[in-house]
Coordinates of all heavy atoms in Angstrom, one line a residue:
M1 N 46.7 34.9 -45.0 CA 48.1 35.1 -45.0 C 48.4 36.2 -43.9 O 47.8 37.2 -43.9 CB 48.6 35.7 -46.4 CG 49.9 36.2 -46.4 SD 50.5 36.9 -48.0 CE 49.7 38.5 -48.0
F2 N 49.4 36.0 -43.1 CA 49.9 36.9 -42.1 C 51.2 37.5 -42.7 O 52.0 36.9 -43.4 CB 50.2 36.3 -40.8 CG 48.9 35.9 -40.1 CD1 48.4 34.6 -40.2 CD2 48.2 36.8 -39.3 CE1 47.3 34.2 -39.6 CE2 47.1 36.4 -38.6 CZ 46.6 35.1 -38.8
Y3 N 51.4 38.8 -42.3 CA 52.6 39.4 -42.8 C 53.0 40.5 -41.8 O 52.3 40.9 -41.0 CB 52.5 40.0 -44.2 CG 51.4 41.1 -44.3 CD1 51.7 42.5 -44.2 CD2 50.1 40.8 -44.5 CE1 50.7 43.4 -44.3 CE2 49.1 41.7 -44.6 CZ 49.4 43.1 -44.5 OH 48.4 44.0 -44.5
V4 N 54.3 40.9 -41.9 CA 54.8 42.1 -41.1 C 55.0 43.2 -42.1 O 55.2 43.1 -43.3 CB 56.1 41.8 -40.4 CG1 55.9 40.8 -39.3 CG2 57.2 41.3 -41.3
K5 N 54.8 44.4 -41.6 CA 54.9 45.6 -42.4 C 55.7 46.7 -41.6 O 55.4 46.9 -40.4 CB 53.4 46.1 -42.7 CG 53.4 47.4 -43.6 CD 52.0 47.7 -44.1 CE 51.0 48.0 -43.0 NZ 49.7 48.5 -43.5
E6 N 56.6 47.3 -42.3 CA 57.4 48.3 -41.7 C 57.6 49.5 -42.6 O 57.9 49.3 -43.8 CB 58.8 47.7 -41.4 CG 59.8 48.7 -40.7 CD 59.4 49.0 -39.3 OE1 58.7 48.2 -38.6 OE2 59.7 50.1 -38.8
R7 N 57.3 50.7 -42.1 CA 57.5 51.9 -42.9 C 59.0 52.3 -42.8 O 59.5 52.5 -41.7 CB 56.7 53.0 -42.4 CG 56.8 54.3 -43.3 CD 55.7 55.3 -43.1 NE 54.4 54.9 -43.5 CZ 54.0 54.8 -44.8 NH1 54.9 55.1 -45.7 NH2 52.8 54.4 -45.1
V8 N 59.7 52.3 -43.9 CA 61.1 52.6 -44.0 C 61.3 54.1 -43.9 O 62.1 54.7 -43.2 CB 61.8 52.0 -45.2 CG1 63.2 52.4 -45.3 CG2 61.6 50.5 -45.2
N9 N 60.5 54.8 -44.7 CA 60.5 56.3 -44.7 C 59.1 56.7 -45.2 O 58.2 55.9 -45.4 CB 61.6 56.9 -45.5 CG 61.7 56.4 -46.9 OD1 60.6 56.3 -47.5 ND2 62.9 56.1 -47.4
D10 N 58.9 58.0 -45.4 CA 57.6 58.5 -45.9 C 57.1 58.0 -47.2 O 55.9 57.9 -47.5 CB 57.7 60.1 -46.0 CG 57.7 60.7 -44.6 OD1 57.4 60.1 -43.6 OD2 58.2 61.9 -44.6
S11 N 58.1 57.5 -48.0 CA 57.6 57.0 -49.4 C 57.9 55.5 -49.6 O 57.6 55.0 -50.6 CB 58.4 57.8 -50.4 OG 59.8 57.6 -50.3
M12 N 58.3 54.8 -48.5 CA 58.6 53.4 -48.7 C 58.1 52.5 -47.5 O 58.4 52.9 -46.4 CB 60.1 53.1 -48.9 CG 60.4 51.7 -49.3 SD 62.2 51.3 -49.4 CE 62.9 52.6 -50.3
E13 N 57.5 51.5 -47.9 CA 57.0 50.5 -46.9 C 57.3 49.1 -47.4 O 57.2 48.8 -48.6 CB 55.5 50.7 -46.7 CG 54.8 49.9 -45.7 CD 53.4 50.3 -45.5 OE1 53.1 51.2 -44.7 OE2 52.5 49.7 -46.2
I14 N 57.7 48.2 -46.5 CA 58.0 46.9 -46.8 C 57.0 45.9 -46.1 O 56.8 46.1 -44.9 CB 59.4 46.5 -46.3 CG1 60.5 47.4 -47.0 CG2 59.8 45.0 -46.6 CD1 61.9 47.2 -46.5
S15 N 56.5 45.0 -46.9 CA 55.6 43.9 -46.4 C 56.2 42.6 -46.7 O 56.7 42.3 -47.8 CB 54.2 44.0 -47.0 OG 53.6 45.2 -46.7
I16 N 56.3 41.7 -45.7 CA 56.8 40.4 -45.8 C 55.9 39.3 -45.3 O 55.5 39.4 -44.1 CB 58.2 40.2 -45.1 CG1 59.2 41.3 -45.7 CG2 58.8 38.8 -45.3 CD1 60.5 41.4 -44.9
E17 N 55.5 38.4 -46.1 CA 54.6 37.3 -45.7 C 55.3 36.4 -44.6 O 56.5 36.1 -44.7 CB 54.3 36.4 -46.9 CG 53.3 35.3 -46.5 CD 53.0 34.4 -47.7 OE1 53.4 34.7 -48.8 OE2 52.3 33.4 -47.5
I18 N 54.6 36.1 -43.6 CA 55.2 35.2 -42.5 C 54.9 33.8 -42.9 O 53.8 33.4 -43.2 CB 54.5 35.5 -41.2 CG1 54.8 36.9 -40.7 CG2 54.9 34.5 -40.1 CD1 54.0 37.3 -39.5
T19 N 56.0 33.0 -43.0 CA 55.9 31.6 -43.4 C 56.6 30.8 -42.3 O 57.1 31.3 -41.4 CB 56.6 31.3 -44.7 OG1 58.0 31.5 -44.6 CG2 56.1 32.3 -45.8
D20 N 56.6 29.4 -42.5 CA 57.3 28.6 -41.6 C 58.8 28.6 -41.8 O 59.5 27.9 -41.1 CB 56.7 27.1 -41.7 CG 56.9 26.5 -43.1 OD1 57.2 27.3 -44.0 OD2 56.8 25.3 -43.2
E21 N 59.3 29.4 -42.7 CA 60.7 29.4 -43.0 C 61.3 30.8 -42.7 O 62.5 30.9 -42.8 CB 60.9 29.1 -44.5 CG 60.5 27.7 -44.9 CD 60.7 27.4 -46.3 OE1 61.1 28.3 -47.1 OE2 60.5 26.2 -46.7
N22 N 60.5 31.8 -42.3 CA 61.2 33.1 -42.2 C 60.9 33.8 -40.8 O 61.0 35.0 -40.7 CB 60.7 34.1 -43.3 CG 59.3 34.4 -43.2 OD1 58.5 34.0 -42.4 ND2 58.9 35.3 -44.2
V23 N 60.6 33.0 -39.8 CA 60.4 33.5 -38.4 C 61.6 33.0 -37.6 O 61.9 31.9 -37.5 CB 59.1 33.0 -37.8 CG1 58.9 33.5 -36.4 CG2 57.9 33.5 -38.7
F24 N 62.2 34.0 -36.9 CA 63.4 33.7 -36.1 C 63.3 34.5 -34.8 O 62.6 35.5 -34.7 CB 64.7 34.2 -36.8 CG 64.9 33.5 -38.1 CD1 64.3 33.9 -39.3 CD2 65.7 32.3 -38.2 CE1 64.5 33.3 -40.5 CE2 65.9 31.7 -39.4 CZ 65.3 32.1 -40.5
C25 N 64.1 34.1 -33.8 CA 64.3 34.8 -32.6 C 65.7 34.6 -32.1 O 66.4 33.9 -32.7 CB 63.3 34.4 -31.5 SG 63.6 32.8 -30.8
H26 N 66.1 35.3 -31.1 CA 67.4 35.1 -30.5 C 67.2 34.3 -29.2 O 66.3 34.6 -28.4 CB 68.0 36.4 -30.2 CG 68.5 37.1 -31.4 ND1 67.9 38.3 -31.9 CD2 69.5 36.8 -32.3 CE1 68.5 38.6 -33.0 NE2 69.5 37.8 -33.2
C27 N 68.1 33.3 -29.0 CA 68.0 32.5 -27.8 C 68.3 33.5 -26.6 O 69.2 34.3 -26.6 CB 69.2 31.5 -27.8 SG 69.4 30.6 -26.3
P28 N 67.4 33.4 -25.6 CA 67.5 34.3 -24.5 C 68.8 34.1 -23.6 O 69.2 34.9 -22.8 CB 66.2 34.1 -23.7 CG 65.8 32.8 -24.0 CD 66.3 32.5 -25.4
M29 N 69.4 32.9 -23.8 CA 70.5 32.6 -23.0 C 71.9 32.9 -23.6 O 72.7 33.6 -23.0 CB 70.5 31.1 -22.7 CG 71.3 30.6 -21.5 SD 70.8 29.0 -21.0 CE 72.2 28.5 -20.0
C30 N 72.0 32.6 -24.9 CA 73.3 32.9 -25.6 C 73.2 33.9 -26.7 O 74.2 34.4 -27.2 CB 73.9 31.6 -26.1 SG 73.0 30.9 -27.6
G31 N 72.0 34.2 -27.1 CA 71.8 35.2 -28.2 C 71.9 34.7 -29.6 O 71.8 35.5 -30.5
S32 N 72.1 33.4 -29.8 CA 72.2 32.9 -31.2 C 70.8 32.9 -31.8 O 69.8 32.9 -31.2 CB 72.8 31.5 -31.2 OG 72.0 30.6 -30.6
E33 N 70.8 33.0 -33.2 CA 69.6 33.0 -33.9 C 69.0 31.6 -34.0 O 69.7 30.7 -34.2 CB 69.9 33.5 -35.3 CG 68.6 33.8 -36.1 CD 68.9 34.3 -37.5 OE1 69.4 33.6 -38.4 OE2 68.7 35.6 -37.6
V34 N 67.7 31.6 -33.7 CA 66.9 30.3 -33.7 C 65.8 30.4 -34.7 O 65.0 31.4 -34.6 CB 66.4 30.0 -32.3 CG1 65.6 28.7 -32.3 CG2 67.5 30.1 -31.2
S35 N 65.7 29.4 -35.6 CA 64.5 29.3 -36.5 C 63.3 28.8 -35.7 O 63.4 27.9 -34.9 CB 64.8 28.4 -37.6 OG 63.7 28.2 -38.4
V36 N 62.2 29.5 -35.9 CA 61.0 29.2 -35.1 C 59.8 28.8 -36.0 O 59.5 29.4 -36.9 CB 60.6 30.4 -34.2 CG1 59.3 30.1 -33.4 CG2 61.7 30.8 -33.3
D37 N 59.2 27.6 -35.6 CA 58.0 27.2 -36.3 C 56.8 27.9 -35.5 O 56.4 27.4 -34.4 CB 57.8 25.7 -36.3 CG 56.5 25.3 -37.0 OD1 55.6 26.1 -37.2 OD2 56.5 24.1 -37.3
I38 N 56.4 29.0 -35.9 CA 55.4 29.8 -35.1 C 54.1 29.1 -34.9 O 53.5 29.2 -33.9 CB 55.3 31.2 -35.8 CG1 54.7 32.2 -34.8 CG2 54.4 31.2 -37.0 CD1 54.9 33.6 -35.1
G39 N 53.7 28.3 -35.9 CA 52.5 27.5 -35.7 C 52.6 26.5 -34.6 O 51.7 26.3 -33.8
E40 N 53.8 25.9 -34.5 CA 54.0 24.9 -33.4 C 54.0 25.6 -32.0 O 53.5 25.2 -31.0 CB 55.3 24.2 -33.6 CG 55.6 23.1 -32.5 CD 56.9 22.4 -32.8 OE1 57.3 22.3 -33.9 OE2 57.5 22.0 -31.8
I41 N 54.7 26.8 -32.0 CA 54.9 27.5 -30.7 C 53.5 28.0 -30.2 O 53.2 27.9 -29.0 CB 55.8 28.7 -30.9 CG1 57.2 28.3 -31.3 CG2 55.8 29.7 -29.7 CD1 57.9 27.5 -30.2
L42 N 52.6 28.4 -31.1 CA 51.3 29.0 -30.7 C 50.2 28.0 -30.7 O 49.1 28.3 -30.3 CB 51.0 30.1 -31.6 CG 52.0 31.3 -31.6 CD1 51.5 32.4 -32.6 CD2 52.1 31.9 -30.3
S43 N 50.5 26.7 -31.0 CA 49.5 25.7 -31.1 C 48.8 25.3 -29.8 O 47.8 24.7 -29.8 CB 50.0 24.5 -31.8 OG 51.0 23.8 -31.1
D44 N 49.5 25.6 -28.7 CA 49.0 25.1 -27.4 C 47.8 26.0 -26.9 O 47.1 25.7 -25.9 CB 50.1 25.1 -26.3 CG 50.6 26.5 -25.9 OD1 50.2 27.5 -26.5 OD2 51.6 26.5 -25.1
G45 N 47.6 27.1 -27.6 CA 46.5 28.0 -27.2 C 46.8 28.9 -26.0 O 45.9 29.7 -25.7
E46 N 47.9 28.8 -25.4 CA 48.3 29.6 -24.3 C 49.4 30.6 -24.5 O 49.6 31.6 -23.9 CB 48.6 28.7 -23.1 CG 47.4 27.9 -22.6 CD 47.7 27.0 -21.4 OE1 48.7 27.3 -20.7 OE2 47.0 26.0 -21.3
S47 N 50.3 30.2 -25.4 CA 51.5 31.0 -25.7 C 51.1 32.2 -26.5 O 50.1 32.3 -27.1 CB 52.5 30.2 -26.5 OG 53.0 29.1 -25.8
D48 N 52.0 33.3 -26.3 CA 51.8 34.5 -27.1 C 53.2 34.9 -27.6 O 54.2 34.5 -27.1 CB 51.1 35.6 -26.3 CG 52.0 36.0 -25.1 OD1 53.0 36.6 -25.3 OD2 51.6 35.6 -24.0
L49 N 53.2 35.8 -28.6 CA 54.5 36.3 -29.1 C 55.3 37.1 -28.1 O 56.5 37.1 -28.2 CB 54.2 37.1 -30.4 CG 53.7 36.3 -31.6 CD1 53.4 37.3 -32.7 CD2 54.6 35.2 -32.0
Y50 N 54.7 37.8 -27.2 CA 55.4 38.6 -26.3 C 56.0 37.9 -25.1 O 57.0 38.2 -24.6 CB 54.5 39.8 -25.8 CG 54.0 40.6 -26.9 CD1 52.7 40.6 -27.4 CD2 54.9 41.5 -27.6 CE1 52.3 41.3 -28.4 CE2 54.4 42.3 -28.6 CZ 53.1 42.2 -29.0 OH 52.7 43.0 -30.1
G51 N 55.4 36.8 -24.7 CA 55.8 36.1 -23.5 C 56.5 34.8 -23.8 O 56.7 34.0 -22.9
T52 N 56.9 34.6 -25.0 CA 57.5 33.3 -25.4 C 58.9 33.5 -25.8 O 59.3 34.4 -26.6 CB 56.7 32.7 -26.6 OG1 55.3 32.5 -26.2 CG2 57.3 31.3 -27.0
A53 N 59.8 32.7 -25.3 CA 61.2 32.6 -25.6 C 61.5 31.3 -26.2 O 61.0 30.3 -25.7 CB 62.1 33.0 -24.4
V54 N 62.4 31.2 -27.1 CA 62.8 29.9 -27.7 C 64.3 29.8 -27.6 O 65.1 30.6 -28.0 CB 62.4 29.8 -29.2 CG1 62.9 28.5 -29.8 CG2 60.9 29.9 -29.4
F55 N 64.7 28.7 -26.9 CA 66.2 28.5 -26.7 C 66.8 27.7 -27.9 O 66.1 27.0 -28.5 CB 66.4 27.6 -25.4 CG 66.1 28.3 -24.2 CD1 64.8 28.4 -23.7 CD2 67.1 28.9 -23.4 CE1 64.5 29.0 -22.5 CE2 66.8 29.6 -22.2 CZ 65.5 29.6 -21.8
C56 N 68.0 28.0 -28.1 CA 68.7 27.2 -29.2 C 68.9 25.7 -28.6 O 68.7 25.5 -27.4 CB 70.1 27.8 -29.5 SG 71.3 27.6 -28.1
D57 N 69.2 24.8 -29.5 CA 69.4 23.4 -29.1 C 70.3 23.2 -27.9 O 70.1 22.5 -27.0 CB 69.8 22.5 -30.2 CG 68.7 22.4 -31.3 OD1 67.5 22.6 -31.0 OD2 69.0 22.1 -32.4
E58 N 71.5 23.9 -28.0 CA 72.5 23.7 -27.0 C 72.1 24.2 -25.6 O 72.2 23.5 -24.6 CB 73.8 24.4 -27.4 CG 75.0 24.1 -26.5 CD 76.3 24.7 -27.0 OE1 76.5 24.7 -28.2 OE2 77.0 25.2 -26.1
C59 N 71.5 25.4 -25.6 CA 71.0 26.0 -24.3 C 69.8 25.2 -23.8 O 69.7 25.1 -22.6 CB 70.7 27.5 -24.5 SG 72.2 28.5 -24.7
S60 N 69.0 24.7 -24.7 CA 67.8 23.9 -24.3 C 68.3 22.7 -23.5 O 67.7 22.3 -22.5 CB 67.0 23.6 -25.5 OG 65.8 23.0 -25.2
K61 N 69.3 22.0 -24.0 CA 69.9 20.9 -23.4 C 70.4 21.2 -22.0 O 70.2 20.5 -21.0 CB 71.0 20.2 -24.2 CG 70.5 19.6 -25.5 CD 71.6 19.1 -26.3 CE 71.1 18.6 -27.7 NZ 72.2 18.3 -28.6
K62 N 71.1 22.4 -21.9 CA 71.6 22.8 -20.6 C 70.5 23.0 -19.6 O 70.6 22.6 -18.4 CB 72.4 24.1 -20.8 CG 73.7 23.9 -21.5 CD 74.4 25.3 -21.6 CE 75.7 25.2 -22.5 NZ 76.3 26.5 -22.8
V63 N 69.5 23.7 -20.0 CA 68.4 24.0 -19.1 C 67.7 22.7 -18.7 O 67.3 22.5 -17.5 CB 67.4 25.0 -19.7 CG1 66.1 25.1 -18.9 CG2 68.1 26.3 -19.9
K64 N 67.4 21.8 -19.6 CA 66.7 20.5 -19.3 C 67.5 19.7 -18.4 O 67.0 18.9 -17.6 CB 66.4 19.8 -20.6 CG 65.3 20.4 -21.4 CD 65.1 19.6 -22.7 CE 64.0 20.3 -23.5 NZ 63.8 19.6 -24.8
S65 N 68.9 19.8 -18.4 CA 69.7 18.9 -17.6 C 70.0 19.6 -16.2 O 70.8 19.1 -15.4 CB 71.0 18.6 -18.2 OG 71.8 19.8 -18.4
G66 N 69.2 20.6 -15.9 CA 69.3 21.3 -14.6 C 70.2 22.4 -14.5 O 70.5 23.0 -13.4
G67 N 70.7 22.9 -15.7 CA 71.6 24.0 -15.7 C 70.9 25.3 -15.4 O 69.7 25.4 -15.5
Q68 N 71.6 26.3 -14.9 CA 71.0 27.6 -14.6 C 70.6 28.3 -15.9 O 71.3 28.3 -16.9 CB 72.0 28.5 -13.8 CG 72.2 28.0 -12.4 CD 71.1 28.4 -11.5 OE1 70.5 29.4 -11.7 NE2 70.8 27.6 -10.5
Y69 N 69.6 29.1 -15.9 CA 69.2 29.9 -17.0 C 69.5 31.4 -16.6 O 68.9 31.9 -15.6 CB 67.7 29.7 -17.3 CG 67.1 30.9 -18.1 CD1 67.6 31.2 -19.3 CD2 66.0 31.6 -17.6 CE1 67.1 32.2 -20.1 CE2 65.5 32.6 -18.4 CZ 66.0 33.0 -19.6 OH 65.5 34.0 -20.3
Y70 N 70.3 32.0 -17.3 CA 70.7 33.4 -17.1 C 70.3 34.1 -18.4 O 70.8 33.8 -19.4 CB 72.2 33.6 -16.8 CG 72.6 33.0 -15.6 CD1 73.3 31.8 -15.5 CD2 72.3 33.5 -14.3 CE1 73.7 31.2 -14.4 CE2 72.7 33.0 -13.1 CZ 73.4 31.8 -13.2 OH 73.8 31.2 -12.0
E71 N 69.4 35.1 -18.2 CA 69.0 35.8 -19.4 C 70.1 36.7 -19.8 O 70.7 37.4 -19.0 CB 67.7 36.7 -19.1 CG 67.1 37.3 -20.3 CD 65.8 37.9 -20.1 OE1 65.2 37.7 -19.0 OE2 65.3 38.5 -21.0
R72 N 70.4 36.7 -21.1 CA 71.4 37.5 -21.7 C 71.0 39.0 -21.6 O 69.8 39.3 -21.9 CB 71.6 37.1 -23.2 CG 72.8 37.7 -23.8 CD 73.0 37.0 -25.1 NE 73.8 37.9 -25.9 CZ 73.4 38.5 -27.0 NH1 72.2 38.4 -27.4 NH2 74.2 39.3 -27.6
K73 N 71.9 39.9 -21.3 CA 71.5 41.3 -21.2 C 72.1 42.1 -22.3 O 73.0 41.8 -22.9 CB 72.1 41.9 -19.9 CG 71.5 41.1 -18.7 CD 71.1 41.9 -17.6 CE 70.6 41.0 -16.5 NZ 69.5 41.3 -15.8

């Protein structure tokens, strides 16, 4: 089991199990929240959590059809 852990303050810490239903990111193009199957993303053996971006369906279609990719600032 993998989990994330965050210390809220000196007396409280939160641990949450990572599942296929609770991993999200923001689309680098529009900023919308995207549900991510982390197993699928990392299954190629080359991807990593720091260098991987996941586009929403709409922006993914734009990029695939030759649209410009502008990273949201």
Side-chain angles (χ1 to χ4, degrees):
M1 169 182 78
F2 289 94
Y3 61 95
V4 292
K5 181 169 63 171
E6 181 71 28
R7 181 166 294 285
V8 177
N9 57 41
D10 289 339
S11 62
M12 187 185 313
E13 186 173 270
I14 298 174
S15 296
I16 301 172
E17 180 180 356
I18 297 172
T19 70
D20 59 346
E21 297 177 355
N22 69 358
V23 177
F24 299 87
C25 71
H26 288 109
C27 173
M29 199 163 165
C30 72
S32 65
E33 186 175 78
V34 179
S35 178
V36 177
D37 181 342
I38 201 163
E40 182 180 332
I41 296 296
L42 300 177
S43 67
D44 67 3
E46 295 180 23
S47 297
D48 62 74
L49 292 176
Y50 299 106
T52 302
V54 179
F55 290 84
C56 69
D57 290 338
E58 187 175 323
C59 290
S60 190
K61 289 175 189 172
K62 288 178 187 176
V63 171
K64 286 179 182 176
S65 68
Q68 289 280 329
Y69 161 58
Y70 295 104
E71 188 168 354
R72 191 172 160 249
K73 303 222 183 221

